[in-house]
Amino acid sequence: MTKFLLIVDYSPGAVETPMLEWDPADIKAHMDYYRDLNHQLTESGELLDVAALTWPDQMKKVTSDGVTAPVVTDGPFPESKELLAGYQLVDVESEERALEIAALVSQVPGPGGVPLQQPITVRRVMGPADIEEFNPLD
């Protein structure tokens, strides 16, 4: 089994209207779809973790030089379409299965039930052997 992180960001896909402006019934359908999909993936033993994150206006960025006090900057930030909105961590037999699941995530319904076609980033989680390969001390 191989772990993959399926990353949802704030890229709009086929629908430009932010979710906070959708009809409440459309938001419910959207969240119900995620809930049902995550339940199916849990039942199949493929879903390890899932999380949705707060809106970009609630985030903070911290930078520190280790000497002076850290600098904390409040969001939102102009590059918010590239920010992480949530993720699913899956453990699957193959990359192909991870891509199949990503396609299911991408077709989550938006306003009027139209599939969002939101781009989902799929990244394999490195294991100990992968990390050993990148050890610059060897």
Side-chain angles (χ1 to χ4, degrees):
M1 299 286 275
T2 306
K3 294 177 182 143
F4 289 87
L5 189 64
L6 311 182
I7 302 167
V8 179
D9 61 26
Y10 286 98
S11 298
V15 176
E16 291 285 333
T17 307
M19 186 192 302
L20 292 175
E21 297 176 18
W22 296 1
D23 182 273
D26 289 331
I27 294 172
K28 182 179 180 335
H30 178 87
M31 298 311 291
D32 286 348
Y33 179 91
Y34 272 123
R35 193 173 298 106
D36 292 344
L37 176 59
N38 290 335
H39 178 75
Q40 291 171 22
L41 295 171
T42 298
E43 290 294 310
S44 70
E46 295 171 304
L47 185 64
L48 299 178
D49 193 19
V50 62
L53 304 176
T54 58
W55 300 107
D57 64 342
Q58 298 172 333
M59 65 183 265
K60 299 184 183 316
K61 286 190 180 181
V62 178
T63 54
S64 175
D65 63 7
V67 178
T68 59
V71 176
V72 179
T73 308
D74 292 331
F77 302 97
E79 66 277 9
S80 64
K81 286 185 179 181
E82 300 170 7
L83 296 176
L84 184 66
Y87 68 86
Q88 291 159 300
L89 179 62
V90 296
D91 194 7
V92 292
E93 291 292 331
S94 65
E95 180 178 291
E96 291 74 26
R97 178 60 181 148
L99 297 174
E100 288 172 5
I101 295 169
L104 294 171
V105 175
S106 178
Q107 67 192 28
V108 63
V114 174
L116 284 185
Q117 302 175 52
Q118 185 174 25
I120 305 303
T121 302
V122 178
R123 296 185 64 184
R124 186 174 63 83
V125 176
M126 293 173 54
D130 297 310
I131 293 169
E132 293 274 331
E133 284 182 34
F134 295 109
N135 187 346
L137 302 177
D138 286 343

